[in-house]
Amino acid sequence: MVTRFRFQETSTAQGFASSIEKGLDEKINDAFMPFAVWWEKLILSEVDLFGMGIPVVLILLILGALFFTLYFGFVNLRHFPTAIQVVRGKFDELEQEAKRLKPVVYEVDGNLKGTIKDEGHLGEVNHFQALATAVSGTVGLGNIALVAVAISIGGPGATFWMILAGLLGMSTKFVECTLGVKYRDIDSKGTVFGGPMYYLSRGLKEKGLGLLGKFLAMVFAVLCVGASFGGGNAFQSNQAAAQIMGSFGLSGPATGTIIGLVFALFSGIVIIGGIKRIAKVTEKVVPLMAILYVGASLFIIFSKIELVDDVFRLILSEAFEPVATISGGFVGVMIQGFRRAAFSNEAGAGSAAIAHSAVNTAYPASEGLVGLLEPFIDTVLVCSMTAVVIILFNMDGTFIYGNVVNGEALFQDGSRLGGVNITSLAFESSINGSSYVLMIAVCMFAFSTILSWSYYGLQAWKYLFGRGKLTDLTYKLLFLVFTVLGAAITLDAVIKFSDAMILALVFPNMIGLLILFPKVKKELAQYIALITKTVSK
């Protein structure tokens, strides 16, 4: 049995909740919880299928991703090598030719008045920086904490459905990132404004659905601001605080709040500088945190290589015949896998299209191909490694699959732990002292995700309220308040709010994708033709 003395008192950022007097953190949580519960029930409304309730949003995500995969001829697999080549800059010479095109004036409304699509300003960041920023927004604590939640609830079989969701999500991400570049707005200074707000309003207007497009764009923008406060911010600071408190045995009536203030301070320093500074930070942080976390995961996996075949047998067998005491059998396990994958890689939510739209390119499909790498990195690689490490840790039944209350699993000794602390124990069981390494990785994951989502939310905020300096400052201050708030509330409350906020984006975004996908096919055909011509020279 693994020693857990550092973690038992801090299963969430509120390990001191048993104290007689309520501290500041607990008071904040009590005020926030009712809204989180209401919002989750609204967004995760269910329909009865296979004898159990399945959230409508997951049906939309799964069927949409499957459709795009088939319609684009398995673009997620067929053009995977091409995507790698684009990121490496192999086809950058095509961009040099494109810069000689004449400027094209966009017909714009309201706050977009006076902006142009100037081919002299093709964007603000390169392909790798755009990918790094977007990956930093998706490869976050969902890959560490929520994978643990999914495995705790659904057992090893949830891993299979997470991987499948990641593979299918690659096609959805390709579509939304292509549209993000195609319909972005670039002002005369080269500043980019892009994302679903723009392809919903402009793209649907081209289809004669201008009113619907404006409505969906507004809904998306409002939800995106909320998602930036929740899943992209509050959840990250919550689990970072939990890991810090767990590693050092900290507790107190306002410890989470204090940690949140520190995160807010460092985040504020970076986000004031906008996408260029965010991109410069993330292009350094993302590779470092990936090497740190993936390296530790691989070390654990190879140190127990004799058990890995048993792990994969469990994943495959329990995907369809789960042992975990979860309602709905394999359908329940499937829902857990898809739900956590959706939160983790955000394919279908449209958020990453905001980061990708800032790329320096004249060919929308080039960044669409880059975008499809995201779910592969995020879910197929990182989430899978986390899952394997946790399953290896639980081969002797240390905790009971399916016995989860408020996001926390029941251990054989009667204690309960949830989220990132389960992953931390899994690491500690294999590498003594690795919980501290994980703590560093967790903080980096949280920090990079907070940075990326601050940009996503700001773009949506600007779409709603204009592009003035006061508008920017107002959003950034509100965003930092939620950084502190997230560290103060419980894991259960923050998961309910964050899950629902991220998944709510799917409704307006997927409606747009299912109307505009033929535009993407034309862009892909054009770009592939140019690549073929270049290679054949």
Side-chain angles (χ1 to χ4, degrees):
M1 181 63 66
V2 180
T3 302
R4 293 199 293 278
F5 62 90
R6 287 205 302 270
F7 303 93
Q8 288 195 355
E9 293 185 4
T10 53
S11 60
T12 69
Q14 285 69 42
F16 50 84
S18 60
S19 60
I20 297 174
E21 293 185 7
K22 289 187 177 181
L24 175 61
D25 288 5
E26 201 173 2
K27 289 178 180 178
I28 293 173
N29 182 74
D30 288 348
F32 184 76
M33 180 62 91
F35 173 75
V37 172
W38 170 82
W39 182 244
E40 182 190 44
K41 287 182 178 178
L42 177 66
I43 299 303
L44 295 178
S45 299
E46 299 177 342
V47 294
D48 189 59
L49 288 176
F50 308 108
M52 68 172 298
I54 299 179
V56 175
V57 67
L58 290 184
I59 296 173
L60 185 60
L61 274 175
I62 296 167
L63 294 182
L66 182 60
F67 170 75
F68 293 137
T69 299
L70 295 175
Y71 179 82
F72 289 100
F74 292 90
V75 64
N76 52 340
L77 304 177
R78 192 160 50 93
H79 286 299
F80 188 88
T82 309
I84 299 293
Q85 291 174 327
V86 173
V87 172
R88 292 178 57 198
K90 183 174 181 179
F91 306 117
D92 283 356
E93 60 196 70
L94 296 175
E95 309 296 346
Q96 300 302 319
E97 299 173 8
K99 287 184 179 181
R100 293 195 289 269
L101 296 175
K102 295 181 179 179
V104 179
V105 179
Y106 262 125
E107 181 182 341
V108 293
D109 313 299
N111 292 320
L112 306 182
K113 183 170 56 180
T115 61
I116 60 172
K117 183 176 187 293
D118 183 351
E119 297 295 350
H121 295 288
L122 293 177
E124 299 184 81
V125 296
N126 61 37
H127 285 296
F128 179 76
Q129 288 176 324
L131 179 63
T133 301
V135 166
S136 71
T138 56
V139 179
L141 295 185
N143 302 77
I144 301 175
L146 288 186
V147 170
V149 172
I151 301 299
S152 301
I153 297 173
T159 309
F160 173 85
W161 299 108
M162 273 194 292
I163 294 172
L164 180 60
L167 291 171
L168 293 176
M170 292 168 69
S171 301
T172 305
K173 191 79 77 167
F174 162 73
V175 175
E176 59 193 15
C177 291
T178 300
L179 291 173
V181 176
K182 180 174 177 60
Y183 291 103
R184 64 185 175 174
D185 181 56
I186 307 179
D187 68 17
S188 57
K189 296 178 182 178
T191 302
V192 177
F193 303 92
M197 304 83 69
Y198 295 90
Y199 62 68
L200 288 171
S201 57
R202 288 177 172 167
L204 268 60
K205 185 177 181 180
E206 289 181 357
K207 292 279 190 177
L209 300 169
L211 289 177
L212 176 62
K214 281 190 175 182
F215 172 74
L216 293 177
M218 293 292 285
V219 170
F220 180 91
V222 171
L223 293 173
C224 186
V225 170
S228 75
F229 292 156
N233 187 3
F235 174 76
Q236 309 301 322
S237 62
N238 175 277
Q239 289 294 275
Q243 180 63 19
I244 291 170
M245 293 170 71
S247 294
F248 293 106
L250 301 174
S251 64
T255 307
T257 304
I258 293 170
I259 294 172
L261 284 168
V262 174
F263 260 85
L265 175 64
F266 283 106
S267 300
I269 292 171
V270 178
I271 67 177
I272 295 299
I275 184 60
K276 289 183 179 179
R277 184 181 295 176
I278 292 171
K280 286 180 181 178
V281 173
T282 55
E283 75 173 340
K284 294 177 176 64
V285 171
V286 168
L288 181 60
M289 72 184 189
I291 291 170
L292 187 66
Y293 185 73
V294 172
S297 299
L298 287 175
F299 179 85
I300 292 171
I301 292 169
F302 281 110
S303 69
K304 298 183 178 180
I305 194 68
E306 72 279 0
L307 296 175
V308 171
D309 57 340
D310 294 328
V311 168
F312 283 105
R313 272 196 292 270
L314 276 174
I315 289 172
L316 290 173
S317 63
E318 295 200 22
F320 301 94
E321 296 180 9
V323 174
T325 56
I326 182 172
S327 61
F330 93 88
V331 177
V333 175
M334 179 180 69
I335 290 173
Q336 278 302 315
F338 271 99
R339 178 174 175 177
R340 298 311 168 195
F343 180 91
S344 182
N345 64 50
E346 298 161 21
S351 52
I354 300 174
H356 286 283
S357 66
V359 73
N360 186 351
T361 185
Y363 302 104
S366 70
E367 194 60 22
L369 292 174
V370 172
L372 67 78
L373 295 174
E374 253 185 85
F376 182 82
I377 296 169
D378 176 275
T379 307
V380 179
L381 292 182
V382 181
C383 284
S384 298
M385 286 184 184
T386 303
V388 171
V389 169
I390 292 171
I391 297 167
L392 281 169
F393 163 65
N394 202 43
M395 291 297 280
D396 61 351
T398 304
F399 65 87
I400 304 168
Y401 291 127
N403 198 322
V404 178
V405 177
N406 295 333
E408 297 182 334
L410 176 66
F411 281 69
Q412 295 288 0
D413 62 5
S415 63
R416 283 193 176 275
L417 290 176
V420 70
N421 285 329
I422 292 178
T423 309
S424 187
L425 276 181
F427 273 72
E428 185 76 9
S429 70
S430 297
I431 309 174
N432 189 33
S434 63
S435 60
Y436 295 106
V437 175
L438 184 65
M439 182 194 68
I440 296 171
V442 162
C443 290
M444 293 173 69
F445 273 74
F447 184 60
S448 65
T449 301
I450 287 171
L451 295 185
S452 296
W453 268 97
S454 71
Y455 177 69
Y456 298 169
L458 179 60
Q459 288 286 71
W461 186 270
K462 286 179 176 181
Y463 183 85
L464 293 170
F465 302 110
R467 298 174 180 173
K469 291 184 178 179
L470 181 60
T471 304
D472 282 23
L473 182 61
T474 302
Y475 169 79
K476 288 172 182 177
L477 289 175
L478 283 172
F479 184 85
L480 295 175
V481 167
F482 271 82
T483 307
V484 180
L485 177 66
I489 59 181
T490 63
L491 174 61
D492 187 38
V494 81
I495 283 180
K496 289 180 186 298
F497 178 73
S498 301
D499 257 11
M501 271 299 180
I502 296 290
L503 292 174
L505 296 172
V506 171
F507 291 107
N509 185 57
M510 286 296 288
I511 291 171
L513 298 186
L514 290 169
I515 295 173
L516 296 172
F517 68 88
K519 300 276 186 181
V520 178
K521 191 167 188 177
K522 291 180 181 178
E523 293 291 343
L524 178 62
Q526 178 191 16
Y527 188 63
I528 295 301
L530 284 170
I531 288 176
T532 303
K533 183 179 179 181
T534 301
V535 172
S536 63
K537 284 183 179 179

